[in-house]
Amino acid sequence: MAFVQLPQGTDLRPALKGLTDDLCQCPHWGYMLKGRLKMVTKDGEEVYEAGQAFYCPPGHAPVALEDCEYVDFSPTDDLTAVIDHITSQG
């Protein structure tokens, strides 16, 4: 479980380069507390707003349309692999 805060304009697509399809491969279940978050996939995009629960299957990249706060539930091993990749990007 994680509490995530992303300022407006945050686009994680560059940090995900090098993963399969250059997208996050960890599934996430969450609840938006504040703001609007766009999840970009190879097939389109989905926008989540404050007050909504969400599920993001593998193959997505978050973009903060507004300052965002959300609670995220993810498999530990899958999330660790993505975080390790992002932090290795410098």
Side-chain angles (χ1 to χ4, degrees), residues 6-14 16 23 32 35-41 45-48 60-68 70:
L6 298 174
Q8 181 177 1
T10 299
D11 183 345
L12 290 179
R13 288 176 288 188
L16 299 172
L23 297 169
M32 294 293 299
R36 292 181 10 166
L37 183 68
K38 176 171 64 174
M39 286 293 182
V40 178
T41 71
E45 57 189 47
E46 184 82 29
V47 175
Y48 305 108
H60 61 271
V63 178
L65 301 175
E66 299 174 359
D67 291 346
C68 293
Y70 59 95

Side-chain angles (χ1 to χ4, degrees), residues 6-78:
L6 298 174
Q8 181 177 1
T10 299
D11 183 345
L12 290 179
R13 288 176 288 188
L16 299 172
K17 294 277 187 205
L19 294 175
T20 301
D21 295 325
D22 295 329
L23 297 169
C24 178
Q25 296 302 312
C26 177
H28 305 280
W29 293 261
Y31 183 78
M32 294 293 299
L33 300 167
K34 174 183 173 185
R36 292 181 10 166
L37 183 68
K38 176 171 64 174
M39 286 293 182
V40 178
T41 71
K42 62 183 181 176
D43 297 323
E45 57 189 47
E46 184 82 29
V47 175
Y48 305 108
E49 298 181 352
Q52 289 184 311
F54 63 86
Y55 169 67
C56 296
H60 61 271
V63 178
L65 301 175
E66 299 174 359
D67 291 346
C68 293
E69 295 179 3
Y70 59 95
V71 179
D72 181 282
F73 301 88
S74 307
T76 302
D77 291 344
D78 293 344

